């Protein structure tokens, strides 16, 4: 047997051992929408080469993925178009199925005699349910590969971590074992002639998307190529000042890599390897890697081990108790979803941040905390605040619907990964943020003018 790519076994989970019906090896692509630096696809090629089988890459397009609209689909579909094109060079067909995976994948596998299925790890509920249901409905073997976390999520820790301070040492210890370069996918040596994959009619695919209520954005090009160019530009021009600029919403000092990471257009591991190679002082690299690796992988840890990651019940006990004790506190302002959505609160900074998200599809990271905390302050209760924040985040942010979003919102509203602070109305012991505090950090007027004059 021939294994052509070295893959850490801890990255791979055999969910189900099944019957080999002699057909192709299937990569059910979902979170990692790229061809290069993709551990799941590399595993697929190993299995296929060992057994002399063709490969098929399948993507299940769901017409109304929860909370998503054409802003997200447009970005995603353009990236997938590039995937189709790039896979041709590797002699690997790409098939776009329409419908939810449990509905359509088992039938497709039966038709093609697909013997092995490999898919991407994702801690979110929808993906966990999809995977459970697909595993039950198929006869072949089923693997899940964590191609998103540099240290595989289940290997980094076996429980929900309290905060960055408890996950960081575990990640640091394991990083040298996992932060390696990627093997290269090779043109697939087994003929796929018998596997038919008609060219995809992308214009028709666009029409399949039901929600067109939010506009697409044009400031960020989707896809693997654009993701690579974008991160290289940031490393050349932005990394040097990242630690000084990233918390000032007027300075555009962030990398803007989150939409690419969300749709898997680039691997976080590739980004980390490029950062390590950058000709920048080690301390500057550290600041960026702390966010890219520790904070991001902490978010996956939270969603994987806490089934209430999107609910009040997922907050730490101290925060639940403390928020409970302040349920009946008087709210000076209380707004409906509509008022929040239209950016019509009394607070210009909040309205400007909301506008940045609606217009640009990406609110500055520092303001995301302020934005979510004020939703708690101006909502009837923490449950409503969670629901409003998640709804707006997922509707407008290009990187929404991501573990980072659920963790960020739970941090802001429910003290997740944070500690108890001095008690105050509404927030209890959950950390508070004020307009005055923001005004001390950056020029709030400049920010408001920039976004409210649009
Ligand atoms: P950079 O500052 O350049 O950081 C690079 C990468 O590091 C990011 O792409 C991200 O992967 C990671 N990172 C940075 N900050 C964090 C963080 N606080 N937590 C976890 N990972 C981080 N991130 C999303 O990807 N999707 C969301 O929907 C989302 N919603 C958020 C909502 C709230 C209320 C809060 C407080 C944070 C949210 N974040 C979300 C986390 C963070 O704000 C964004 O990841 C970041 O602003 C994305 O911009 P960037 O890629 O330019 O970040
Ligand atoms: N994943 C799929 O497998 N099929 C889809 O149709 C799909 C749509 C979609 C739309 C917006 C969005 O933000 C994500 C979407 N995803 C889809 C999932 C995505 O690939 C990511 O895996 C997760 O959102 C990240 O956890």
């Amino acid at each position: 047997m021939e294994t052509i790519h070295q893959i850490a076994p801890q990255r791979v989970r055999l969910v189900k051992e099944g019957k080999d019906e002699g057909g192709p090896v299937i990569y059910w692509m979902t979170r990692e929408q790229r061809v290069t630096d993709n551990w799941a696809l590399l595993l697929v090629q190993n299995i296929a080469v060992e057994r002399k089988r063709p490969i098929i890459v399948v993507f299940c397009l769901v017409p109304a993925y929860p909370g998503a609209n054409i802003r997200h689909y447009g970005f995603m579909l353009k990236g997938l178009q590039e995937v189709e094109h790039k896979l041709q060079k590797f002699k690997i067909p790409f098939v776009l199925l329409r419908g939810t995976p449990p509905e359509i994948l088992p039938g497709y596998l039966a038709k093609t005699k697909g013997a092995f299925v490999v898919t991407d790890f994702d801690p979110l509920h929808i993906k966990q349910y999809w995977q459970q249901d697909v595993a039950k409905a198929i006869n072949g073997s089923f693997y899940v590969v964590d191609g998103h976390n540099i240290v595989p999520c289940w290997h980094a820790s076996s429980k929900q971590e309290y905060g960055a301070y408890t996950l960081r040492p575990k990640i640091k210890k394991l990083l040298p074992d996992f932060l390696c370069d990627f093997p290269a996918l090779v043109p697939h040596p087994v003929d796929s002639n018998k596997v038919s994959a008609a060219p995809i009619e992308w214009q028709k695919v666009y029409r399949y998307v039901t929600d067109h209520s939010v506009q697409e954005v044009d400031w960020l090009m989707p896809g693997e190529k654009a993701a690579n160019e974008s991160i290289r530009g940031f490393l050349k021009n932005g990394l040097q000042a990242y630690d000084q600029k990233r918390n000032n919403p007027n300075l555009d000092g962030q990398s803007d890599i989150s939409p690419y990471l969300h749709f898997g257009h680039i691997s976080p591991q590739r980004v980390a390897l490029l950062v390590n190679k950058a000709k920048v002082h080690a301390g500057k690299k550290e600041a960026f890697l702390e966010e890219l690796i520790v904070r991001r992988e902490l978010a996956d840890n939270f969603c994987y081990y806490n089934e209430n990651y999107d609910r009040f019940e997922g907050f730490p006990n101290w925060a639940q108790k403390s928020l409970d004790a302040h349920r009946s506190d008087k709210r000076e302002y209380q707004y409906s979803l509509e008022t929040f959505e239209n950016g019509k609160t009394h607070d210009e900074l909040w309205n400007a941040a909301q506008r940045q998200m609606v217009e640009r599809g990406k609110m500055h990271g520092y303001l995301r905390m302020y934005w979510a905390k004020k939703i708690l302050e101006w909502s009837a209760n923490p449950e409503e605040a969670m629901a409003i924040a998640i709804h707006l985040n997922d509707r407008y942010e290009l990187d929404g619907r991501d573990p980072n979003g659920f963790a960020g919102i739970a941090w802001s509203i429910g003290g997740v990964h944070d500690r108890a602070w001095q008690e105050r109305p509404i927030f209890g012991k959950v950390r508070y943020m004020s307009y005055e505090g923001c005004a001390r950090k950056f020029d709030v007027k400049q920010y408001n003018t920039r976004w409210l004059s649009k």
Side-chain angles (χ1 to χ4, degrees):
M1 286 215 293
E2 192 188 359
T3 298
I4 55 172
H5 308 304
Q6 285 296 320
I7 302 171
Q10 300 91 333
R11 212 170 265 298
V12 182
R13 276 207 157 166
L14 175 62
V15 178
K16 173 179 175 172
E17 185 136 32
K19 265 209 327 237
D20 181 358
E21 304 210 33
V25 183
I26 308 286
Y27 171 30
W28 165 22
M29 174 183 276
T30 168
R31 194 184 194 190
E32 312 305 327
Q33 298 169 20
R34 63 179 178 278
V35 176
T36 310
D37 300 338
N38 185 327
W39 288 118
L41 185 53
L42 291 165
L43 175 70
V44 164
Q45 189 158 60
N46 274 355
I47 300 173
V49 166
E50 276 175 16
R51 290 170 175 79
K52 300 194 171 43
R53 306 286 171 81
I55 294 174
I56 310 178
V57 176
V58 177
F59 188 87
C60 301
L61 183 67
V62 182
Y65 193 80
N69 51 62
I70 195 67
R71 171 171 289 178
H72 315 102
Y73 276 104
F75 197 83
M76 185 176 85
L77 291 174
K78 289 183 195 96
L80 288 174
Q81 228 167 318
E82 193 180 325
V83 166
E84 180 195 30
H85 189 70
K86 200 163 170 180
L87 280 174
Q88 282 166 4
K89 294 188 189 143
F90 291 93
K91 302 191 165 74
I92 299 176
F94 178 67
V95 173
L96 194 83
L97 300 177
R98 299 182 197 184
T100 69
E103 278 165 13
I104 45 169
L105 211 47
Y108 182 76
L109 294 175
K111 197 175 86 185
T112 54
K113 295 198 164 49
F116 298 85
V117 183
V118 179
T119 196
D120 303 317
F121 165 71
D122 192 326
L124 298 189
H125 293 144
I126 183 166
K127 299 293 186 71
Q128 297 280 315
Y129 298 144
W130 282 358
Q131 288 176 12
Q132 281 164 24
D133 291 351
V134 168
K136 273 189 224 142
I138 63 175
N139 295 324
S141 295
F142 186 39
Y143 299 83
V144 174
V145 175
D146 187 351
H148 211 75
N149 294 289
I150 301 177
V151 180
C153 184
W154 46 65
H155 186 65
S157 170
S158 57
K159 61 179 175 64
Q160 187 189 331
E161 293 295 332
Y162 291 103
Y165 72 103
T166 60
L167 184 65
R168 191 179 300 112
K170 296 183 179 177
I171 297 267
K172 289 239 155 118
K173 192 166 156 228
L174 292 166
L175 209 53
D177 298 341
F178 291 95
L179 188 50
C180 57
D181 208 343
F182 286 89
L185 188 75
V186 297
H188 196 56
V190 185
D191 205 351
S192 65
N193 278 350
K194 285 189 213 122
V195 177
S196 66
I200 296 163
E201 293 181 77
W202 289 100
Q203 281 319 314
K204 281 195 187 157
V205 174
Y206 274 80
R207 292 203 286 273
Y208 184 64
V209 179
T210 50
D211 186 343
H212 286 244
S213 61
V214 178
Q215 270 186 350
E216 292 189 59
V217 299
D218 58 11
W219 62 272
L220 195 70
M221 293 283 290
E224 218 170 312
K225 186 161 176 278
N228 272 279
E229 284 169 6
S230 170
I231 193 65
R232 282 167 206 271
F234 169 75
L235 296 180
K236 202 162 152 225
N237 306 315
L239 183 61
Q240 175 69 31
Y242 176 77
D243 58 340
Q244 287 144 24
K245 288 188 177 173
R246 71 180 156 142
N247 280 335
N248 186 331
N250 292 318
L251 295 183
D252 298 328
Q254 293 188 279
S255 66
D256 286 339
I257 195 83
S258 56
Y260 295 125
L261 294 177
H262 172 71
F263 289 102
H265 293 172
I266 193 165
S267 151
Q269 185 163 338
R270 171 59 60 199
V271 178
L273 290 168
L274 291 171
V275 170
N276 280 345
K277 272 204 247 156
K279 291 193 175 63
V280 169
H281 189 271
K284 309 264 179 191
K285 294 181 187 179
E286 232 2 77
F288 185 74
L289 291 175
E290 167 70 13
E291 303 302 322
L292 176 79
I293 305 178
V294 178
R295 300 281 161 176
R296 195 183 45 75
E297 304 206 351
L298 182 63
D300 260 38
N301 168 280
F302 171 60
C303 294
Y304 188 54
Y305 290 114
N306 188 330
E307 62 173 357
N308 292 315
Y309 61 73
D310 51 355
R311 304 172 55 193
F312 179 84
E313 289 74 13
F315 300 167
N317 285 340
W318 66 262
Q320 288 193 37
K321 256 169 86 180
S322 176
L323 287 165
D324 273 338
H326 289 271
R327 279 186 185 274
S328 43
D329 290 358
K330 184 176 179 312
R331 270 84 175 142
E332 198 178 346
Y333 302 95
Q334 205 170 301
Y335 298 117
S336 63
L337 170 63
E338 197 189 359
T339 310
F340 280 123
E341 185 156 16
N342 293 329
K344 296 284 183 211
T345 75
H346 65 284
D347 177 340
E348 286 212 328
L349 176 58
W350 195 95
N351 298 343
Q354 171 71 13
R355 180 67 68 86
Q356 183 179 31
M357 178 174 73
V358 170
E359 294 284 322
R360 191 169 188 258
K362 188 168 178 288
M363 190 192 297
H364 189 277
Y366 185 78
L367 282 171
R368 293 192 196 203
M369 301 185 276
Y370 179 78
W371 173 88
K373 283 181 179 294
K374 292 295 158 189
I375 296 180
L376 170 63
E377 192 173 339
W378 306 328
S379 293
N381 53 58
E383 287 82 359
E384 195 174 303
M386 279 297 278
I388 290 174
I390 292 172
H391 172 80
L392 294 176
N393 191 79
D394 289 358
R395 179 165 161 74
Y396 293 106
E397 297 283 20
L398 209 41
D399 59 20
R401 248 162 281 89
D402 192 277
N404 284 351
F406 294 109
I409 290 170
W411 178 89
S412 308
I413 295 179
V416 166
H417 301 147
D418 205 358
R419 64 172 172 87
W421 292 73
Q422 200 184 345
E423 194 154 1
R424 54 173 298 130
I426 305 170
F427 285 77
K429 292 181 181 168
V430 172
R431 185 197 297 245
Y432 177 72
M433 276 175 84
S434 70
Y435 183 99
E436 295 72 30
C438 290
R440 281 194 294 276
K441 274 205 168 261
F442 65 95
D443 185 342
V444 166
K445 262 201 185 139
Q446 185 189 339
Y447 179 82
N448 292 353
T449 307
R450 178 174 170 194
W451 290 103
L452 293 178
S453 60
K454 280 184 184 274

